[in-house]
Amino acid sequence: MPTRLLLIALAIVLGASRLAAQATPSVATPFVSLDDPDLALVEQLIQRGVISDPQPMIRPLLVADLAAALAEADTNPASPDAALLERLRARFAAPTAEAWWRAGGAAGAEAYSTPRRDLLHPVGDEGVSPYVELRLAAGFGNVVAVTRPAAEPRVTDDPDWPGRRNVDVAGRILEGYLSAQFKYARITYGQLEHNWGPAGLPGLPLSAYGYERQGLLFQLGNRKVRLSALATDLAPGPDSAGTEVNRYYFVHRLGLQLSRKLDVAIWEGNVLSGEGRAFETRFRNPLSVGYVANTIGLGDRGNVMLGADVRWQAHRRATIEAQVAIDDIWVKNRQNNRDRFGVTLSAQGPLMGRAAWRAQYSVVSALALRAFNPADNFSDAGVGIGRNFSDNDFWRASVSFPVRDRWVVAPEVALLRQGEGAINTPYPVGEDRQNAPTLFIGTVERTWRLGLTATGREGPLTVSADVGVHRVQNAGHVEGVDETDLAFRVKAVLGIGRDGELK
């Protein structure tokens, strides 16, 4: 991240600190990690409509926002979710002290059928690896600091891992950030996992598929109106001439709660590249529409993706979510190219006692996420910033239910249809581009999945498991080759932790 960008952020923080000092002090809280086992229980309650989503289609959530949503939920002791709500209120209670600390760690192992975290696109051999992490956090009034280093040997075999591979034990920082938080503004600098899109699928503009992302996150507003923006460096890469160039990504989103049942948002992601290029200030303006100001305005280099999100409580507690991304739509000379887009549809609601249902469909067109200039692809070190795979569609239906108010178990059935178009394949030219289908290049590989996920915590033990039987037709995009595989990922760790006040 450029030094001047950090200096601007610090100036804003210091200015906001002076304003905050004139009012009643607030206490900053950490973000809820995307792999927190209790987050699965929170998502279960959101699916059922028991609690409102503090920030629809944006993760991670702040502990303070989640605590407020839990506090607003039905407190009737006769409610079937009363005990779970009470436990989660205690688990995600905001610190009461103005200065506080937390420390903890966990150690265990993970077993997997493929080192890649995406079981539907397996690469590599099965294995068992140790896992160790340390968690440290401290809050000082309006500022919170979090670090979470881990040793995880599995990642050296994961094709999506951007780090070193020639080491026996690889380390990574799952979270490492400073966050200044005030009533209507939050500024976070560092790295953590993000997902902008319906829960359960990687978001189209931004996701945690490629591990945690370093950057400057800015949020302004409240539940009614919220502006979010993330500026981040991307790994340098070759352009169409083979020259190594600098690359950056800026994504911003304006979310509006139009009514108690309807949320909408518009967003824009912009990949910038160029030899010796800097991350120009005008490309990091959260209140500017880059497509208008730069692409069709100044005509500068950059690849822009435009999108919209909608969340609608359609009937009682049933909710429908949609995310649409437009990478490129050709109005004229349509024979010379193909439209590039992505769409995600998700519906969810309560089911009988305490269960919840969810149905999802997503499609990413054949040439989406890549460009004529490969340096403008929506990828970082060859891995998708949002989705990692184009030229596919995906169907999934699942039912989830809590067990002993500590676990969430979810059986599911899914179908992935994957064409031969790939995010890192050079963009087709000439007749190849003109003849390319909008969806499904070449032989389509179909993966039918019957699976079960389980996540939870029991005392010091935390377990996350994803197990499924996959029936693959046209495996490896070879017509007539069928396979049946057992796909699994199981991680179990024992953890300890303590906390207190800093006096």
Side-chain angles (χ1 to χ4, degrees), residues 403-484:
V403 177
R404 299 185 63 250
D405 291 334
R406 295 184 176 277
W407 302 81
V408 173
V409 177
E412 67 176 29
V413 59
L415 168 63
L416 170 69
R417 298 190 296 176
Q418 178 67 60
E420 295 186 43
I423 192 172
N424 292 314
T425 302
Y427 203 81
V429 297
E431 291 186 0
D432 289 339
R433 183 170 70 238
Q434 294 174 4
N435 296 330
T438 302
L439 185 64
F440 297 142
I441 296 173
T443 301
V444 178
E445 181 184 80
R446 294 175 176 83
T447 302
W448 296 85
R449 168 180 166 84
L450 182 62
L452 179 75
T453 62
T455 304
R457 187 201 314 260
E458 193 73 43
L461 175 65
T462 298
V463 177
S464 61
D466 187 346
V467 181
V469 176
H470 293 183
R471 176 63 175 174
V472 185
Q473 299 172 327
N474 300 334
H477 302 285
V478 178
E479 190 75 37
V481 176
D482 297 343
E483 299 176 354
T484 301

Side-chain angles (χ1 to χ4, degrees), residues 14-83:
L14 292 174
S17 298
R18 294 191 182 98
L19 292 175
Q22 301 173 12
T24 303
S26 59
V27 177
T29 62
F31 289 93
V32 181
S33 307
L34 296 191
D35 64 346
D36 189 311
D38 286 327
L39 181 60
L41 290 164
V42 170
E43 298 289 7
Q44 170 79 6
L45 294 178
I46 292 174
Q47 277 185 252
R48 286 172 37 78
V50 176
I51 65 173
S52 61
D53 193 330
Q55 196 170 0
M57 301 172 70
I58 292 286
R59 298 293 185 268
L61 300 172
L62 272 180
V63 167
D65 292 342
L66 178 53
L70 291 167
E72 294 171 359
D74 183 8
T75 56
N76 184 352
S79 166
D81 296 301

